[in-house]
Amino acid sequence: MSTYLTKRLLYMLIILFAASLLIFCLYALTPGDFITGNIKLTAERKAELREIYGLNKPVLERYGLWMKDAFHGNFGYSLAQQKPVLQLFSDYIWNSFLLAAVSTFLTWVIAVIVGVISAYKQYSWFDTLVMVAIFAAMSLPSFFIGLFLIKILAVDLKWLPPGGMITTGSNATGLAYLKEVVRHMTLPVVVMVLLGLGSLTRYFRSNMIDVLQQDYIRTARAKGLKERKVLFTHALRNALLPAITLVGFELPALFGGSLIIEQIFNWPGIGQLYMKSFGLRDYPLLMGFTMFIAILTVIGTLLSDILYRVADPRVRL
């Protein structure tokens, strides 16, 4: 195990180094940047700013300086926001984490329950209804579902706010503030759950169908065990094992999957900040965010492998 971890950590460093070089070169070699695209600046001022921010240096020299600063915990300075990239991350990322963590938890709980029942009652009216709903949810784009819910629940019925994290001008504190946040995050969470529910439910359903056809399940039933114990003790545990590999990939998806949702519902998260920075070509912030997702992806992959080993001792790492 220790040898495996040492090798994986070495591979992770190599992968992150290659990813950082690719990310930096991709943004650095893309035509135009925040200074070039600012029509209010004169040519002299643009040249002066490019000198100040070191944008007139060769790409590899800029990459070396960027990596040197990154090792000291400095991922650059946002040209559009005029703040350090890490400070902007700490200002916005917890809002995204709140949204993504709640929606991920609800998605997994609902997908497991619906997937297990659907597999147990395969080809029943419930299974048919679930499959139709899954395909409907998977075929509709996120912006359509978001705008549809805003129109029905926020504009027509006025049950929920259409966007934002709190009501404009609100001075709520304590429990009142918490209730306000919950009301505002309901619609984006519903959309994110609907988007993630389809593929995950199908995954659990197919795994559960395979497990229910195994010999040890028939043996458990032949021994006279109650159907609930066979289903949730013997079948569900084995059906969930392959899903453990998905847990690690949920880590980067927590922050990368809500880009459009945060934009639609005006949620003040890192996804909305990324989309604004993308339009302004604020490359230091874009590079920092992309590198952050790359780090989470590598860590998530390692985490999923270790969890699989813990869940199934037969697996050797």
Side-chain angles (χ1 to χ4, degrees):
M1 187 72 171
S2 59
T3 306
Y4 171 79
L5 284 177
T6 305
K7 285 183 180 178
R8 282 300 299 266
L9 289 175
L10 182 62
Y11 292 154
M12 286 169 62
L13 290 176
I14 296 173
I15 292 170
L16 288 177
F17 171 74
S20 67
L21 183 61
L22 180 64
I23 291 168
F24 188 91
C25 290
L26 181 64
Y27 284 116
L29 297 176
T30 302
D33 53 35
F34 177 74
I35 296 175
T36 307
N38 194 335
I39 58 175
K40 297 179 181 178
L41 298 175
T42 62
E44 292 77 14
R45 181 57 180 164
K46 288 180 179 178
E48 185 181 1
L49 289 175
R50 296 183 70 81
E51 175 72 23
I52 292 173
Y53 292 118
L55 298 176
N56 55 351
K57 294 178 180 176
V59 173
L60 288 181
E61 183 180 348
R62 288 164 53 193
Y63 172 72
L65 293 172
W66 184 67
M67 284 298 292
K68 182 181 176 183
D69 291 338
F71 278 121
H72 291 85
N74 177 16
F75 278 88
Y77 199 81
S78 169
L79 302 178
Q81 305 290 331
Q82 291 296 301
K83 289 181 179 178
V85 170
L86 286 185
Q87 182 184 337
L88 288 168
F89 277 14
S90 65
D91 290 343
Y92 288 90
I93 208 161
W94 294 112
N95 296 338
S96 295
F97 180 78
L98 174 66
L99 197 65
V102 173
S103 60
T104 301
F105 174 76
L106 292 175
T107 301
W108 276 69
V109 171
I110 297 173
V112 169
I113 294 173
V114 175
V116 168
I117 297 175
S118 185
Y120 183 67
K121 298 184 176 181
Q122 190 180 10
Y123 304 129
S124 66
W125 65 269
F126 178 82
D127 184 37
T128 305
L129 192 65
V130 167
M131 295 307 293
V132 170
I134 285 174
F135 283 118
M138 291 177 69
S139 60
L140 294 175
S142 59
F143 65 87
F144 177 82
I145 299 176
L147 293 176
F148 179 76
L149 291 180
I150 289 175
K151 172 69 170 64
I152 300 299
L153 299 178
V155 177
D156 293 344
L157 300 176
K158 300 186 186 307
W159 287 352
L160 294 167
M165 192 169 178
I166 56 172
T167 305
T168 305
S170 171
N171 295 317
T173 57
L175 189 59
Y177 175 80
L178 182 63
K179 288 181 178 177
E180 205 165 298
V181 172
V182 170
R183 287 192 74 243
H184 281 78
M185 69 185 290
T186 300
L187 278 181
V189 165
V190 168
V191 177
M192 292 177 72
V193 169
L194 286 175
L195 293 174
L197 207 54
S199 56
L200 207 56
T201 302
R202 287 188 64 195
Y203 187 80
F204 286 129
R205 178 183 177 275
S206 58
N207 280 348
M208 197 66 183
I209 289 174
D210 290 339
V211 170
L212 287 174
Q213 295 173 351
Q214 298 297 316
D215 291 338
Y216 66 88
I217 296 296
R218 282 193 285 269
T219 304
R221 284 172 172 159
K223 287 167 63 179
L225 294 178
K226 292 183 178 178
E227 191 64 19
R228 179 175 297 180
K229 189 169 185 180
V230 172
L231 193 62
F232 291 100
T233 304
H234 294 274
L236 181 59
R237 181 178 178 183
N238 289 288
L240 286 177
L241 279 178
I244 291 176
T245 56
L246 298 177
V247 174
F249 295 106
E250 291 292 333
L251 199 58
L254 284 176
F255 303 98
S258 59
L259 297 179
I260 298 176
I261 303 300
E262 289 183 3
Q263 191 74 9
I264 294 173
F265 291 98
N266 196 28
W267 185 265
I270 193 72
Q272 188 183 125
L273 180 66
Y274 178 85
M275 295 298 284
K276 287 180 180 176
S277 303
F278 199 85
L280 296 171
R281 298 185 177 183
D282 188 2
Y283 291 146
L285 196 145
L286 296 177
M287 287 190 296
F289 180 77
T290 312
M291 195 64 211
F292 174 68
I293 295 296
I295 293 171
L296 287 183
T297 303
V298 173
I299 294 175
T301 307
L302 174 64
L303 200 62
S304 64
D305 289 346
I306 294 175
L307 286 175
Y308 201 86
R309 170 68 176 83
V310 172
D312 189 353
R314 295 172 300 175
V315 177
R316 296 188 61 183
L317 297 178

